[in-house]
Amino acid sequence: MDDLTGKVALVTGASGGIGSAIARLLHSRGASVALAGTREDRLAAVAADLGNERTAPAIGDLSTADGATAVAKAAEEAFGPIDILVNNAGRTRDNLAMRLKDDDFLDILNVNLMSAFRLSRHVMRSMMKRRWGRIVNISSVVAFHGNPGQANYSASKAGLVGMSRSLAAELAVRGITVNCVAPGFIKSDMTDSLTDEQREKILGTIPAGRLGEPDEVAEAVAFLCRSGAGYMTGQTLHVNGGMIMP
């Protein structure tokens, strides 16, 4: 069933294009959604767009352990134990590897990978007690083919895939699934700033001949959150228009 009525979802990076699309779709299917991020005004705008019912902000800096704890506790105080965790928060700090500083690498790992682990660790105990849970980690196409200037980002997104498989193996017997969604090039503020030449070069690598929509990523996430997807775990759904076909 698509019905998520009564379920509590925590979506990180909820103020961005993909995050807000995920929050909107889960909310439309009946879930109460905690919107995690650091930009309170943007989160308030997303909540208002959803009608402010069954939504609550979960403010915190996910680059720190204390921030991740604050986000999880805010969600639980608003709605109770978390049934669905979508680790979508992500950051880039691009540079060629020879110029990439340790802090630039570690900062991306903390936000993109460590926050996902910390939040997963926080929610899994209550999920195990209820013998039901969905954890969906948003990886990226670059986890599978790399990208010049993004050694830190690619490592963090590849790390999500490996971590998800290990968690899936640990938690499957308790009715908890852990999967990834790996978007390709999706319409966003970043892609809006591309030059015509850059856009044409990217489109030439995508068999579908277009950029993806945030809603298309959200549909993949929502599928993995369904009760009917309970036998699917440790997997990665690729949403990239055929850019790679692993």
Side-chain angles (χ1 to χ4, degrees):
M1 293 178 61
D2 288 339
D3 186 15
L4 297 175
T5 300
K7 301 299 185 185
V8 174
L10 169 58
V11 180
T12 69
S15 63
I18 291 176
S20 60
I22 293 169
R24 185 180 306 111
L25 186 54
L26 297 182
H27 185 269
S28 73
R29 296 188 178 177
S32 297
V33 183
L35 307 167
T38 56
R39 296 176 290 183
E40 294 187 47
D41 56 336
R42 295 284 294 272
L43 295 178
V46 174
D49 182 51
L50 299 179
N52 287 309
E53 294 184 6
R54 293 183 284 106
T55 64
I59 309 299
D61 178 4
L62 290 176
S63 67
T64 69
D66 288 345
T69 298
V71 164
K73 288 186 174 179
E76 291 168 337
E77 288 172 2
F79 300 120
I82 296 164
D83 301 293
I84 297 167
L85 170 63
V86 182
N87 287 306
N88 168 70
R91 180 183 295 175
T92 59
R93 190 169 287 184
D94 298 349
N95 212 333
L96 295 176
M98 65 182 296
R99 298 172 184 160
L100 197 61
K101 299 182 184 302
D102 285 2
D103 286 347
D104 295 332
F105 204 103
L106 292 173
D107 176 63
I108 299 308
L109 289 183
N110 274 327
V111 174
N112 298 4
L113 181 57
M114 277 302 299
S115 71
F117 173 71
R118 288 165 173 152
L119 289 172
S120 296
R121 182 177 59 190
H122 183 97
V123 303
M124 65 176 64
R125 187 177 299 275
S126 64
M127 288 181 176
M128 290 171 71
K129 289 179 180 178
R130 299 192 306 281
R131 303 190 72 84
W132 198 96
R134 299 287 183 266
I135 298 173
V136 182
N137 296 315
I138 306 302
S139 181
S140 169
V141 67
V142 303
F144 297 87
H145 72 49
N147 203 33
Q150 289 193 315
N152 50 359
Y153 185 77
S154 298
S156 70
K157 293 299 186 178
L160 283 174
V161 175
M163 183 187 77
S164 297
R165 290 173 177 169
S166 292
L167 294 182
E170 291 183 19
L171 300 173
V173 72
R174 305 304 286 268
I176 302 165
T177 66
V178 187
N179 293 289
C180 286
V181 172
F185 284 95
I186 307 299
K187 287 182 181 178
S188 64
D189 292 341
M190 182 181 71
T191 58
D192 287 345
S193 66
L194 293 171
T195 65
D196 290 342
E197 182 180 356
Q198 290 171 325
R199 182 179 295 271
E200 288 304 312
K201 184 177 181 181
I202 290 171
L203 292 178
T205 68
I206 305 172
R210 64 176 179 85
L211 301 179
E213 299 285 347
D215 287 345
E216 293 174 309
V217 180
E219 288 285 355
V221 173
F223 167 77
L224 292 171
C225 293
R226 298 171 60 227
S227 292
Y231 202 56
M232 186 172 184
T233 195
Q235 306 302 310
T236 299
L237 292 185
H238 293 269
V239 185
N240 59 42
M243 186 176 178
I244 64 167
M245 303 182 191

